[in-house]
Amino acid sequence: MATIKSAGEAVARIAYLSSHVVLSLQPALATDSLFSIHLHDYAANRVRGLVARDSPEIIALRYNVDPLLSAFQPLRSGKLVSVTTSSAVLVPSIPLLYKLAQYPIVLHVAFHPLHAPDYSEITAIRQSGFVFLQSETLQEAQDLALSAHALAIKSGKGVIHFFDPANSQDDTPIETENLDLIEGILDLDGARILQLRRDEGSSIYVDNGRRAMLTQHTTPSNTDLRLKDRSEKESPAQSTTRKSSNGGASSVGSSVRESSADSRPTVSSATSIDSLISRPITSEDVYEYAADIWKKLEQATGRHYQAFEYTGPEDAQSALFIFGSTGLFVDELGAGKSSEEFSKCGLVTARLYRPWIASRLVEAIPPSVKRIAVLEQIRRKTTKWGPVLLDVLTSLRTGPSPSGEPLIVGHQLGHIEPATVRQALRGIFQNLSSPAPIQNLEVGSRESPQSLLDQSQLAQPKVENAYMKILDQVFSQRLYIANRLDATNAGISATIAASPEYGFGSLLARSDRRIRFIEEVKTAAASRDFATDVPRSWLSKWALNVQDSKQCNQIAPDVISRLSNDGSTLASTLLESKSLFFKESQWLIGSDAWAYDLGNSGVHHVLASGANVNMLIIDNQPYSERAAADAARRKKDIGLYAMNFGNAYVASVAVYSSYTQVLEAMIEADQFDGPSVVVAYLPYNQEDDSPLTVLQETKKAVDLGYWPLYRWNPTKEEKGEPSFSLDSERIKQELEEFLRRDNHLTQLMNRHPTFAANLSESYGSEMRALQKRKAKDAYNSMLESLYGAPMTILFASDNGNAETLAKRLGNRGKARGLKTMVIAMDDYPLEDLPTEENVVLITSTAGQGEFPQNGRSFWDAVKDTTELDLSQINYGVFALGDSHYWPRKEDKIYYNKPGKDLDARIAFLGGKKMIDVGLGDDQDPDSYQTGYAEWEPKLWQALGVDKVEGLPEEPPPITNEDIKIQSNFLRGTIQEGLDDTTTGAISASDSQLTKFHGTYMQDDRDLRDERKAQGLEPAYAFMIRCRLNGGVATPSQWLQMDSVSSSYGNETMKLTTRQTFQFHGVVKTKLKSAMRGINKALMTTIAACGDVNRNVMLSPLPTRSAFHRDVHQVSAKISDHLLPSTTAYHEIWLKEDGSDEKQTKIAGDAVVDKEPLYGPTYLPRKFKITIAVPPHNDTDVYAHDVGLIAIKSPNGNRLEGFNVLVGGGMGVTHNNKKTYPRTGSMLGYFPASDIHIVCEKVMLVQRDHGDRSNRKHARLKYTIDDMGVDVFRSKVEELLEAKFEAPRPFEFKNNIDTFGWQKDEFGMNHFLMFIENGRVEDTAEFPMKTGLREIARVHKGDFRLTPNQHLCLSNVPNEDLDTIKGMLKQYKLDNLHFSGMRLSSSACVAFPTCGLAMAESERYLPELISKLETCLEENGLRQDSIVMRMTGCPNGCARPWLAEVAFVGKAYGAYNMYLGGGYHGQRLNKLYRSSIGEEEILGIMKPLLK
C-alpha cells in the first residue's frame, strides 16, 4: 500500500477525494504550497475522486485576491468545496467566513510561517460560526481531514481543520486510508442530497438568511424520523433532547440539513407524520455528529478521538492545556514518565475547538488535577487575557469559587528549541506551583530563527516587468514609486509597505517634504556658504521655475551638476535630496488584488482625496468563461469605479496589445492634475508563463471586449473635446452603460460610424447555442417542401477539403431526391443528433490525429457524454488523412484518427452503421478522392438511391484559373466586398484576387476558438506586402511605413525574407486607407503576391556602393518591365470615392484593359527573381525561379552581366513525393543590358508551358523537370533570338549577413543591425520601432532591407556618424552581442496570422535558440555562425531547405528536422527526423553541437 510522508500530502489527498472543487490558495501561481504540489499531481494523473464523478476541479488562486470569494458560486450550485491554504488568509477573510460557515465547505489550514505558528489567527475567527478541528500528528492530519469533510456533509456547516505542519515533519510515514473506509465515513448519500440543493442567492453583501438546519419528522412515539416535505410551512424551531450515553444532552434528529433560504421540496418517505420539527444545528448536534464519525473511525482503525484529549496519569496533580504545537512537550513528558519530575503531570489538547463543549472538557480532565497551565502560542498579544484561557476558566469556573477547583494560570508560548524543552517545562510548573503564580508568563522566544526565512517574500513576477520598464523609459530620473517592493521601510512589513494606503500616505509625506525642500533651496540661493557663486545662480533659476514642470525638469540636471562640482557642505546637504529637484512623476503600483474589497479601500482614498497621484494597477486574470460569469467574486472594474468619481484620469491598457497606447496613457496620466488610474492588463496563469502565452491571452481578452482599451480624461470636456477615447474595437457591457449614461457613446458612434456595430453589441451577448438553433431551424424550414429521406451531413475541415466534399455530397444527395442538410460539426446543436434519421460525418485530420477546429467542440461533447441515445440513427463516416504524414511506427495511430474515433464512438452510443468508415489517403494516386470514389457508391446503395436515373451533370469545380479569367483583369467583386459592412471578410474568390494586389485575407488563429465560442466570425484582418525593389527605402518612406503600421495595422512591421515591408492586422475597413498611405510614400503593393513576378531581391552590398547602384538599376528595370498592366489596382485602392475618373467600358460593365505579358490568366503560379553579388549569397540565389549572379567587369568595379539560374523553389507538401524543393539550374551567362528581356522570356515559357491543372505542380521547377533543362534553355533562346554564353566563374562564401559598421569605397558608413526574424516593434525591453523612427527623422542616407530579415542603415556621412551611433546606442540598436546561431537564424511569420501554418515559427525560434545557447557556450561555439531556419509549414518562406539546420512545422509543437544544407546556400539539406517536439530537438541538437 502507498505511504504518505507529510501532513500536506495527507490533507491534500483527502480534500481531493472528498470534493467537487478544491481551491488551492498559493503565495504565487508558479509557487506550490505544501498542498498544491500533490493536488496538481493527482489532477495530472487523472485520479478519480469519490465525491466528484470524475476528477475534482482544482482552482489555483493567489492569497491576495480575496480567494474565498471563488467558493460561493460552486457552493451555491450544490457542490462540495474544500480550500487548502495557509493561516495568513484567515483574518483578512473574516467578512466572508461568517457567510461561508453556513455552507458545507472545508478549509484545511496550515500555520505559516513554518516553525513559528501564530494560533491567534485561529482564535481571531473563533466566532465566525465554523466548526474547528485541530490535528497534530501525521496520522491525525489524515484522520481529522477526513472527519472534517464528513462533518461538513453531515452538519451542512463549514469546518476549519487546522494544523502545524512542522509539528509532524519528523513523523514516520503512514499508509494511505482505504478508499472504502473513506467512502463509508463521508456518507456519499448525504453528499448527493446536498448536491441537489442549490442556493438561488447571488449577493454576498446581503445576508440571504441561509442557516444549517435540522429537520425532524416524528411519530407519536417520537422515534420515526423522516425528511420533511419543505413545500409545507415550517413551524418555529423546536427541539427534543435526550441524555447521551456519556451524560451529555444531545439533540435527536435526522442528519439531513437544509437552508432556510432554500424552499425546494425534497422527497418524503414518511407514511404517518404527527409533527414536523425544523431548527438550526446546535453545538451539541455538531458534537454528536463528530462523535459518531470518530466512533466509525475507531471501529475500522482502532484510533480513538474525542473533543478534548487528555494524556498522562489518571492521578495527575498538574496539567498543561496547550493551544499550540505540542510535539516537543509530548515527547518530553513521555520521556519524563520514568522520573519524578513530571510523573504527576498530564497534557490536554482540543480536537474540537469550536463548538467549545464545556462539559466535555470537564469530563476529560482527571478530578485529581489541582493546577492547570494554559499555554497559548500567540506571537502578538492583543488582549490582557488569552481567549483560550478565558474558555478554560469559564468551563472550569475558576476564580473566587469553592475550594477543590483547579487553579488555572495562563502562559504565552513562544518558540522553544528542542534542547530547552525540559527547562521550559520546569519554568512552567515552577510558576504553576508557586504561591502567587504569574499570569501571562512568556515561555520561549517571541520570534523563531527560522521565521524570517519562512516568510513569503513579496516579489513582482518577471512577466510584469514590462510595465515597470516602460515607466523607467518614459520618466527616467523623474520616476518615484512610493510602494516599490525593494524599498526599505523601517519597522514596516513588506506587505503593509506595498499597500495603497501606505503608499498614498508616503506620497503625501513626500509632497510635504518637497515643499520644505523648495524653501530650503530658496534659503540656500541667498546663502554665501557655497565654495563659488555658481550654484546660487542656478538655484535661483530653479526656484523661479519650480512650478513649471517642464522648465524645472530641464534645469534640474544642471543644478545637480553645479552642486556636485562645488564640494561645499551646503551643496552636499542639498544633494542628499537631489531627486526632489525634479518634478517627480509619482506612482503607486498595485495588482488586481486592489480590485477586491480588501484592497480597494486604498484606491478609494486616493480617488476621494483628489490628490495628484498616479496609480498603475496590473490585472493578471486571464479571460475565461468562469471568470467572466462569476459576478459573486466581487472583483471591481477599477477603471469604471474611478470614472464614476468624475475627477480622475482613467486608462485601460495592455502592453501586449498596443505598446503605443500604453505610452500615451502613462504620459497623459502624468500630465493630468489630479488622481490618475491606469489599469494595465498582463494575463497569466502562472508567474513564469512565456511571453507568447501572455500575448495570446491578451489578444483574446481585448478582441472579445473583456479587456477594452480606452482613455478617459474628464478635463477634455471643458475644452469641447471628447473625454473618452476608445483604442480597441469592442467594449464590455458595464462600460457601455456608463458611456451611455454620460452620453459619450452616442458621440463616439457619430464620430466613428464604422465602430457603431461593435460598440452597440454588449460583451457576451452573442449566444452560441441560439445561433446553432437558428441555423438548424433555417435548414429544416427549407427542407420542409422537399420529399425523400433526410440526410444530415456534418463536416470538420481545416483546409477546405472535407467541407468541399461534404457540400458536393449534399448536392449529389439532393439530385437523388434526398433532403440534405450540410453543416459544420461545431455549428450543429448536439442535442438534436438522436432525432436524426441518416447522418453522414466527414472529417479531415489535423495535427497529431486531432479534429479540425470546427469539429473539436462537437467531438469533445460526443466523446464525454454517456447520455446520448443514438439507437435511432443510421450513420456513415468518411475520413481524410495521410498514411505517411507520421512515418514512425508508433505514430501510425494518428492516420485518420478523428474519423476512426468518431465511427467507434457513434457505434458505442447505439448508432447503426450504414457503411464501413471510409479512409481517404493523400498517398493514393488521386489523393483522398481514390478512397472516396469507392465509399460514396456504397452510401447511395445503403440509402436505397443508387439506381436513380437522369442525374444532372455536375459542373466542374471552380479553379484559380477560372477565378483569374473571370476576374476582368483582377477586379472580381473586390470593391463590392470592401463595401460590405456586415462582415470583416471578403469572398473566397476575391481573396484569391487580392493577392495580386499585395494583400492576403487572414484571421487571428489565437482567437479562433474563443470567438467561435462567443458566436462571432473569425477575427478577419489583412496582411499587406509592399513591392520594394531591391529592398531599398528612403528615410521618408520608412517613416511613412511606420505610420501605416501604427495607424492601420497591429503597430508592428515585418521585414520579410523577400526584402520588403509587410503589415499585419489591417481590418477591412482600414484596408483602403492603408493602401493609400503606402502610395503616399511613392510605393505600391501591386504584384507583391499572386501568380505574377513578385518583388525583385538584391544583396544590400554595403561595402561596394557603386556596384550596388549598378545592380539596383537593373533590378528596378526588371521589376518595372514585368509589372502587370491592369488598372484595377488604381481603380480599387487609389481612386478617391466620388472621383470623376472614368474608364472606357465595352459590353456590359467590362473595362477595356490588357496584359501584354501576362494575358488574362496571368502565370500558373508565383514567380520570383533574385540577384546575388558574389561572394555573398545572402539572397539565396539558388532558391528562386530566376536567380541572377552578378558578374563584374574585368576591372572589377562595374557590372557586366549575369549568370542565369532557373527553376529554384522551396515549397513542398509534407509526404507528397511529387512535390520537392529544388535548387536552380544554370542556363548560362547574359549581358546586363538585356537581362530584363531574359527574365521576360523565361517567364513567358513558364506562362505557356506551366501546369495550370494542378497548382502543386505549377511552379517553374516542375516545368523544367518535366521539359528538361536543355529543352527549356532552347525555348528561352528561341524567344530571345540569342544564345546564352558559357557561365562566368564566381565564388560564394556564405549566405548570411555581415553585421556592424562597414565603409564603402566612397568613405560612406553603413551599419547592418540585427532585427530578430524581421519583426520591428516596440517592447518594454526594446523600443526598436521608436528608435528607428527617430533615426529616420535625421538620417540622410537610405534603409536597405536584407533578405535575411535584417536592416542596413546605409550611406551615413562621417559628419553624422557620432549622432547616429549615439541614437543606435540609446535605443539598443547597436547591440550585436548575440550568438552566431541567433544572428544567422530566420523564421517566417506562421502563427497567429498565417492560415497555412501548422506550427509556431517566428514566436518560437528565439525560445529554442535560447535553450541551445548554453550548450554553444560550453562548447566554444557562441561566435560560430550556424544557419538555422524555421517555418510553420512546408511552403518554405524562410527558405529552410538551404539551411544547415532547419525545422519545418508539421503539427502544433511538432517539426520535421533537416540537416546538411550548404553554408553557401548552394546545397539542399535532408530530412533527419520527422515529427519531433522540443524535447527531442534539444536531445538531438546538444550532442551535435558537441
Side-chain angles (χ1 to χ4, degrees):
M1 184 176 283
T3 59
I4 289 178
K5 299 179 181 178
S6 71
E9 182 183 2
V11 170
R13 178 173 177 268
I14 296 296
Y16 186 92
L17 293 171
S18 309
S19 310
H20 296 104
V21 177
V22 182
L23 304 183
S24 173
L25 276 50
Q26 302 167 206
L29 297 178
T31 304
D32 274 317
S33 68
L34 76 161
F35 308 104
S36 64
I37 189 171
H38 305 293
L39 291 170
H40 296 315
D41 183 56
Y42 299 145
N45 290 306
R46 302 290 297 172
V47 175
R48 294 179 64 88
L50 293 177
V51 168
R53 181 177 281 182
D54 194 359
S55 300
E57 182 181 8
I58 310 297
I59 302 174
L61 297 165
R62 297 199 319 274
Y63 288 162
N64 63 348
V65 294
D66 274 15
L68 295 187
L69 288 170
S70 292
F72 281 93
Q73 187 183 37
L75 283 170
R76 285 173 169 165
S77 64
K79 295 181 178 178
L80 292 175
V81 178
S82 61
V83 180
T84 58
T85 180
S86 84
S87 55
V89 170
L90 297 178
V91 174
S93 300
I94 284 177
L96 304 178
L97 293 176
Y98 279 88
K99 297 178 178 63
L100 288 172
Q102 304 305 322
Y103 291 90
I105 184 174
V106 177
L107 275 66
H108 296 288
V109 179
F111 280 109
H112 185 85
L114 200 65
H115 302 291
D118 184 359
Y119 279 66
S120 69
E121 292 171 320
I122 295 296
T123 59
I125 62 171
R126 66 190 184 280
Q127 308 287 7
S128 62
F130 269 84
V131 176
F132 289 80
L133 298 178
Q134 178 184 199
S135 64
E136 296 172 354
T137 68
L138 176 55
Q139 184 65 64
E140 288 174 4
Q142 178 170 271
D143 290 347
L144 291 185
L146 175 57
S147 301
H149 284 277
L151 192 52
I153 293 172
K154 202 167 184 67
S155 69
K157 290 180 65 68
V159 180
I160 293 177
H161 165 226
F162 62 96
F163 62 97
D164 177 9
N167 207 48
S168 59
Q169 63 183 6
D170 296 325
D171 285 10
T172 302
I174 63 172
E175 292 184 349
T176 57
E177 204 63 85
N178 180 277
L179 291 180
D180 292 334
L181 171 62
I182 295 175
E183 189 169 348
I185 296 289
L186 285 179
D187 180 17
L188 295 187
D189 290 335
R192 279 188 279 274
I193 292 173
L194 282 173
Q195 192 173 2
L196 292 173
R197 296 181 178 155
R198 295 173 181 267
D199 190 340
E200 301 300 327
S202 61
S203 172
I204 60 174
Y205 290 101
V206 179
D207 189 346
N208 63 2
R210 180 186 174 100
R211 296 292 182 273
M213 302 290 288
L214 179 73
T215 301
Q216 296 176 331
H217 295 257
T218 62
T219 65
S221 64
N222 199 29
T223 59
D224 187 15
L225 305 181
R226 297 288 187 266
L227 295 178
K228 171 188 172 185
D229 184 342
R230 296 162 79 181
S231 62
E232 300 180 33
K233 184 176 180 180
E234 293 185 353
S235 62
Q238 302 176 26
S239 67
T240 303
T241 62
R242 65 172 174 83
K243 200 75 174 175
S244 70
S245 59
N246 58 6
S250 173
S251 300
V252 177
S254 142
S255 63
V256 178
R257 280 75 46 212
E258 64 183 46
S259 164
S260 61
D262 188 348
S263 61
R264 298 186 181 188
T266 58
V267 177
S268 174
S269 59
T271 57
S272 174
I273 298 178
D274 289 344
S275 63
L276 299 172
I277 300 174
S278 180
R279 60 173 177 77
I281 296 288
T282 67
S283 297
E284 282 294 337
D285 293 331
V286 172
Y287 172 78
E288 288 293 331
Y289 297 150
D292 182 58
I293 291 166
W294 288 335
K295 184 177 180 181
K296 291 180 182 177
L297 193 61
E298 183 178 13
Q299 290 172 345
T301 67
R303 295 189 292 274
H304 178 75
Y305 296 101
Q306 298 183 76
F308 295 96
E309 295 192 352
Y310 172 80
T311 305
E314 289 301 321
D315 59 348
Q317 298 294 311
S318 303
L320 302 181
F321 187 107
I322 301 179
F323 193 66
S325 299
T326 62
L328 292 176
F329 294 103
V330 170
D331 294 343
E332 189 60 39
L333 289 174
K337 284 182 180 178
S338 59
S339 68
E340 286 295 322
E341 190 171 11
F342 304 129
S343 62
K344 296 294 184 178
C345 300
L347 187 147
V348 184
T349 54
R351 286 285 165 268
L352 179 64
Y353 171 57
R354 280 296 185 274
W356 181 280
I357 311 293
S359 60
R360 308 302 170 190
L361 177 60
V362 173
E363 292 171 1
I365 300 175
S368 59
V369 172
K370 302 301 180 186
R371 295 173 181 265
I372 298 176
V374 178
L375 276 63
E376 298 182 64
Q377 196 160 358
I378 297 173
R379 292 173 61 193
R380 282 193 183 85
K381 184 179 177 185
T382 56
T383 59
K384 182 176 182 180
W385 306 105
V388 178
L389 174 64
L390 294 176
D391 284 337
V392 175
L393 281 168
T394 303
S395 300
L396 301 180
R397 297 174 185 164
T398 55
S401 58
S403 112
E405 292 183 352
L407 172 69
I408 300 172
V409 181
H411 297 73
Q412 187 172 338
L413 181 61
H415 175 74
I416 298 176
E417 290 290 337
T420 63
V421 175
R422 179 171 287 270
Q423 181 182 346
L425 282 172
R426 285 174 181 157
I428 293 168
F429 286 118
Q430 285 173 5
N431 182 54
L432 190 61
S433 60
S434 70
I438 302 171
Q439 289 286 358
N440 294 322
L441 180 69
E442 291 189 12
V443 179
S445 307
R446 184 69 63 90
E447 295 281 353
S448 75
Q450 297 96 339
S451 63
L452 295 177
L453 298 175
D454 289 335
Q455 294 279 7
S456 291
Q457 296 295 317
L458 289 176
Q460 185 172 41
K462 288 183 179 179
V463 71
E464 292 185 6
N465 287 342
Y467 288 108
M468 303 304 296
K469 289 181 179 178
I470 295 175
L471 283 175
D472 285 332
Q473 290 170 8
V474 174
F475 303 114
S476 190
Q477 297 180 70
R478 294 203 301 119
L479 178 65
Y480 179 78
I481 299 174
N483 59 341
R484 188 185 290 272
L485 289 179
D486 56 4
T488 54
N489 301 281
I492 303 295
S493 73
T495 302
I496 295 174
S499 69
E501 294 90 341
Y502 180 88
F504 181 42
S506 170
L507 287 179
L508 293 178
R510 191 165 181 83
S511 296
D512 291 341
R513 172 70 185 99
R514 190 166 192 265
I515 292 171
R516 296 196 303 273
F517 180 73
I518 292 171
E519 294 304 315
E520 292 170 9
V521 170
K522 290 179 179 177
T523 302
S527 170
R528 297 194 175 275
D529 292 339
F530 292 108
T532 67
D533 288 338
V534 174
R536 295 173 57 206
S537 61
W538 279 98
L539 289 173
S540 298
K541 186 177 180 180
W542 180 85
L544 289 172
N545 292 280
V546 73
Q547 301 305 325
D548 186 330
S549 299
K550 186 176 181 181
Q551 288 292 325
C552 172
N553 292 329
Q554 286 179 349
I555 297 170
D558 292 318
V559 175
I560 294 170
S561 175
R562 269 58 178 192
L563 289 173
S564 300
N565 293 334
D566 186 78
S568 64
T569 301
L570 180 56
S572 299
T573 301
L574 292 174
L575 286 173
E576 289 175 1
S577 303
K578 63 182 179 181
S579 61
L580 296 177
F581 280 112
F582 293 93
K583 176 63 172 68
E584 292 174 332
S585 182
Q586 297 181 335
W587 291 82
L588 294 174
I589 312 296
S591 70
D592 55 354
W594 292 8
Y596 298 97
D597 281 352
L598 298 182
N600 190 245
S601 60
V603 176
H604 175 88
H605 290 327
V606 174
L607 294 171
S609 73
N612 190 7
V613 173
N614 306 309
M615 287 185 287
L616 174 66
I617 301 173
I618 301 173
D619 192 308
N620 56 45
Q621 183 176 34
Y623 168 80
S624 69
E625 292 288 350
R626 183 179 63 82
D630 190 0
R633 295 204 73 241
R634 290 191 300 178
K635 183 177 180 181
K636 287 181 173 61
D637 183 330
I638 291 185
L640 191 58
Y641 181 75
M643 288 164 69
N644 275 288
F645 268 82
N647 68 335
Y649 173 89
V650 183
S652 175
V653 304
V655 68
Y656 280 87
S657 178
S658 176
Y659 177 88
T660 303
Q661 192 237 3
V662 177
L663 291 178
E664 291 173 342
M666 288 181 172
I667 292 170
E668 290 173 357
D670 178 63
Q671 294 171 347
F672 185 80
D673 187 13
S676 297
V677 176
V678 178
V679 283
Y681 198 48
L682 202 77
Y684 54 81
N685 293 296
Q686 290 196 338
E687 290 82 357
D688 56 358
D689 275 358
S690 69
L692 175 56
T693 301
V694 178
L695 170 67
Q696 291 171 323
E697 289 291 341
T698 301
K699 288 167 60 178
K700 186 194 306 180
V702 172
D703 177 74
L704 293 175
Y706 174 77
W707 191 270
L709 306 184
Y710 62 83
R711 287 166 291 143
W712 164 273
N713 188 337
T715 62
K716 285 191 173 182
E717 200 165 7
E718 302 168 4
K719 306 172 187 175
E721 300 175 7
S723 47
F724 184 82
S725 300
L726 180 65
D727 300 316
S728 60
E729 296 288 327
R730 294 174 63 81
I731 59 177
K732 55 184 174 180
Q733 185 175 2
E734 298 89 341
L735 182 57
E736 176 190 339
E737 289 170 355
F738 171 83
L739 292 171
R740 273 211 188 95
R741 188 182 67 217
D742 281 22
N743 202 31
H744 292 287
L745 184 61
T746 303
Q747 297 174 22
L748 190 62
M749 287 183 172
N750 290 339
R751 287 196 308 277
H752 302 291
T754 56
F755 285 172
N758 284 334
L759 291 172
S760 60
E761 287 180 358
S762 295
Y763 160 71
S765 64
E766 299 80 17
M767 304 293 290
R768 182 69 177 149
L770 182 61
Q771 289 190 336
K772 290 182 180 181
R773 171 61 50 214
K774 285 183 176 179
K776 176 81 180 335
D777 289 348
Y779 259 115
N780 290 339
S781 176
M782 180 180 68
L783 295 175
E784 280 177 1
S785 59
L786 301 178
Y787 298 95
M791 180 173 69
T792 299
I793 304 170
L794 306 179
F795 67 83
S797 178
D798 268 343
N799 60 10
N801 287 337
E803 181 177 1
T804 300
L805 215 54
K807 290 178 178 177
R808 190 175 76 186
L809 181 65
N811 290 332
R812 290 178 176 178
K814 288 177 185 176
R816 293 172 182 270
L818 299 175
K819 292 190 293 186
T820 62
M821 177 176 70
V822 182
I823 190 169
M825 291 182 187
D826 280 1
D827 292 334
Y828 179 83
L830 185 61
E831 64 272 17
D832 283 4
L833 192 57
T835 67
E836 301 288 355
E837 184 175 335
N838 301 304
V839 179
V840 176
L841 304 107
I842 300 178
T843 178
S844 57
T845 306
Q848 289 185 300
E850 299 157 12
F851 268 78
Q853 275 194 308
N854 59 356
R856 289 177 189 171
S857 297
F858 177 88
W859 170 243
D860 287 344
V862 168
K863 74 173 180 174
D864 291 335
T865 185
T866 57
E867 299 173 359
L868 275 181
D869 179 6
L870 303 184
S871 59
Q872 301 303 310
I873 75 166
N874 305 305
Y875 80 96
V877 176
F878 186 80
L880 294 79
D882 184 338
S883 59
H884 289 184
Y885 199 79
W886 301 98
R888 297 187 305 185
K889 184 178 181 180
E890 61 268 30
D891 294 336
K892 292 295 184 183
I893 58 169
Y894 299 139
Y895 168 57
N896 272 324
K897 188 175 186 295
K900 293 175 182 177
D901 289 350
L902 197 54
D903 179 64
R905 188 62 183 172
I906 299 295
F908 174 81
L909 294 172
K912 291 174 283 190
K913 192 179 297 189
M914 295 186 287
I915 179 176
D916 287 339
V917 60
L919 302 178
D921 189 350
D922 281 351
Q923 296 301 315
D924 286 341
D926 293 324
S927 187
Y928 61 86
Q929 298 285 2
T930 302
Y932 183 77
E934 298 174 0
W935 179 84
E936 186 185 306
K938 296 176 183 176
L939 176 66
W940 301 137
Q941 186 176 5
L943 289 168
V945 292
D946 55 320
K947 306 295 187 184
V948 177
E949 298 181 356
L951 292 174
E953 188 173 330
E954 285 187 4
I958 297 176
T959 67
N960 281 63
E961 295 302 307
D962 298 323
I963 293 171
K964 286 185 285 186
I965 202 166
Q966 295 168 14
S967 72
N968 190 15
F969 294 96
L970 306 183
R971 289 171 177 81
T973 57
I974 295 174
Q975 184 60 60
E976 291 82 351
L978 295 174
D979 293 338
D980 181 3
T981 60
T982 64
T983 175
I986 57 176
S987 70
S989 58
D990 285 341
S991 69
Q992 294 298 318
L993 295 176
T994 54
K995 295 178 182 179
F996 291 79
H997 297 257
T999 181
Y1000 279 71
M1001 184 175 75
Q1002 302 175 327
D1003 77 285
D1004 194 322
R1005 296 175 67 179
D1006 285 345
L1007 304 175
R1008 269 187 192 174
D1009 289 344
E1010 196 59 50
R1011 287 183 68 89
K1012 186 163 194 168
Q1014 294 293 323
L1016 301 171
E1017 71 175 9
Y1020 290 115
F1022 291 77
M1023 177 273 283
I1024 301 177
R1025 185 181 298 152
C1026 295
R1027 189 179 182 89
L1028 186 65
N1029 173 51
V1032 179
T1034 65
S1036 63
Q1037 287 175 326
W1038 182 277
L1039 288 171
Q1040 184 63 17
M1041 296 302 99
D1042 179 277
S1043 175
V1044 167
S1045 68
S1046 296
S1047 301
Y1048 309 115
N1050 64 357
E1051 301 185 16
T1052 74
M1053 293 189 292
K1054 174 79 169 178
L1055 310 184
T1056 76
T1057 53
R1058 288 220 59 78
Q1059 214 173 3
T1060 187
F1061 297 100
Q1062 194 163 287
F1063 308 108
H1064 292 272
V1066 182
V1067 295
K1068 187 171 77 172
T1069 54
K1070 296 181 179 180
L1071 198 50
K1072 270 194 179 182
S1073 299
M1075 293 292 202
R1076 290 170 181 173
I1078 293 167
N1079 181 257
K1080 185 178 177 181
L1082 303 181
M1083 291 169 60
T1084 185
T1085 66
I1086 182 70
C1089 320
D1091 299 341
V1092 287
N1093 175 57
R1094 300 189 177 183
N1095 196 53
V1096 179
M1097 295 169 61
L1098 167 65
S1099 171
L1101 210 64
T1103 59
R1104 298 165 61 194
S1105 288
F1107 200 79
H1108 180 270
R1109 186 163 55 247
D1110 289 350
V1111 181
H1112 186 262
Q1113 288 173 356
V1114 171
S1115 70
K1117 194 172 185 180
I1118 296 170
S1119 181
D1120 293 343
H1121 182 67
L1122 300 182
L1123 204 63
S1125 299
T1126 178
T1127 60
Y1129 183 86
H1130 179 84
E1131 294 166 20
I1132 294 171
W1133 307 110
L1134 306 182
K1135 187 182 73 172
E1136 294 294 335
D1137 297 334
S1139 168
D1140 59 357
E1141 294 181 42
K1142 296 180 180 178
Q1143 294 83 32
T1144 304
K1145 295 187 177 182
I1146 54 175
D1149 289 328
V1151 175
V1152 177
D1153 220 332
K1154 59 181 180 180
E1155 285 289 4
L1157 288 179
Y1158 291 104
T1161 55
Y1162 295 84
L1163 299 180
R1165 281 299 302 272
K1166 55 191 169 187
F1167 195 82
K1168 299 179 178 180
I1169 300 175
T1170 187
I1171 303 175
V1173 181
H1176 306 290
N1177 187 19
D1178 45 7
T1179 65
D1180 280 329
V1181 72
Y1182 291 95
H1184 299 78
D1185 297 274
V1186 175
L1188 303 177
I1189 302 171
I1191 303 300
K1192 298 175 288 187
S1193 60
N1195 61 18
N1197 293 327
R1198 306 309 293 261
L1199 175 66
E1200 184 173 75
F1202 297 90
N1203 286 345
V1204 180
L1205 297 167
V1206 294
M1210 295 286 100
V1212 305
T1213 299
H1214 280 311
N1215 296 319
N1216 185 338
K1217 295 179 180 178
K1218 296 178 182 178
T1219 67
Y1220 45 83
R1222 187 184 191 278
T1223 54
S1225 301
M1226 181 66 72
L1227 290 187
Y1229 170 85
F1230 214 87
S1233 58
D1234 291 322
I1235 198 66
H1236 62 294
I1237 304 298
V1238 173
C1239 293
E1240 173 199 319
K1241 302 311 180 189
V1242 171
M1243 189 181 80
L1244 292 182
V1245 175
Q1246 165 65 355
R1247 181 196 69 184
D1248 296 339
H1249 297 275
D1251 187 348
R1252 292 181 182 268
S1253 62
N1254 180 4
R1255 287 184 68 79
K1256 290 185 183 295
H1257 191 254
R1259 288 291 299 274
L1260 178 60
K1261 59 183 176 181
Y1262 302 117
T1263 306
I1264 291 176
D1265 282 348
D1266 291 346
M1267 188 181 289
V1269 175
D1270 292 338
V1271 173
F1272 185 87
R1273 181 190 294 111
S1274 67
K1275 287 189 176 294
V1276 174
E1277 290 175 338
E1278 182 180 340
L1279 294 177
L1280 275 173
E1281 298 181 352
K1283 298 283 187 182
F1284 287 99
E1285 299 178 28
R1288 303 289 174 86
F1290 65 93
E1291 181 184 13
F1292 286 132
K1293 294 184 177 179
N1294 61 61
N1295 65 345
I1296 62 171
D1297 290 336
T1298 304
F1299 296 97
W1301 283 103
Q1302 301 171 74
K1303 274 190 181 292
D1304 64 18
E1305 67 270 37
F1306 302 114
M1308 299 296 280
N1309 303 282
H1310 307 256
F1311 182 75
L1312 208 158
M1313 66 188 74
F1314 174 69
I1315 310 287
E1316 190 157 34
N1317 297 320
R1319 182 64 63 181
V1320 178
E1321 62 181 338
D1322 278 336
T1323 66
E1325 294 81 12
F1326 188 11
M1328 178 202 306
K1329 191 164 181 274
T1330 297
L1332 289 170
R1333 183 191 314 124
E1334 295 306 313
I1335 288 173
R1337 297 187 197 281
V1338 301
H1339 181 42
K1340 301 184 183 73
D1342 52 39
F1343 290 85
R1344 298 181 190 174
L1345 283 61
T1346 80
N1348 288 311
Q1349 302 177 291
H1350 305 301
L1351 182 65
C1352 185
L1353 196 65
S1354 291
N1355 292 316
V1356 178
N1358 288 330
E1359 58 269 23
D1360 293 344
L1361 195 57
D1362 289 342
T1363 300
I1364 297 296
K1365 283 185 175 180
M1367 296 181 76
L1368 289 170
K1369 183 176 182 179
Q1370 177 185 352
Y1371 293 103
K1372 305 178 185 177
L1373 291 164
D1374 63 344
N1375 183 16
L1376 298 175
H1377 299 295
F1378 301 102
S1379 67
M1381 176 183 284
R1382 192 176 295 274
L1383 291 172
S1384 305
S1385 67
S1386 183
C1388 69
V1389 176
F1391 281 93
T1393 53
C1394 178
L1396 300 175
M1398 302 171 180
E1400 292 282 0
S1401 181
E1402 179 189 330
R1403 300 193 297 193
Y1404 173 57
L1405 182 59
E1407 292 183 24
L1408 178 62
I1409 292 175
S1410 295
K1411 293 175 181 178
L1412 290 170
E1413 283 177 327
T1414 301
C1415 185
L1416 291 172
E1417 292 270 10
E1418 292 171 353
N1419 293 284
L1421 298 175
R1422 177 177 172 80
Q1423 305 305 321
D1424 289 40
S1425 171
I1426 301 172
V1427 179
M1428 178 180 284
R1429 294 175 181 173
M1430 177 176 282
T1431 59
C1433 78
N1435 261 28
C1437 293
R1439 303 185 288 276
W1441 283 278
L1442 292 174
E1444 294 176 285
V1445 183
F1447 300 97
V1448 178
K1450 201 165 186 188
Y1452 202 85
Y1455 300 83
N1456 281 358
M1457 181 179 185
Y1458 297 82
L1459 296 176
Y1463 185 66
H1464 305 160
Q1466 81 290 4
R1467 182 181 66 241
L1468 294 173
N1469 52 32
K1470 298 208 173 161
L1471 179 64
Y1472 182 73
R1473 288 284 189 276
S1474 180
S1475 309
I1476 58 175
E1478 181 180 279
E1479 186 176 346
E1480 291 170 284
I1481 291 172
L1482 296 175
I1484 294 169
M1485 285 298 301
K1486 288 181 178 179
L1488 283 178
L1489 294 173
K1490 291 180 180 179

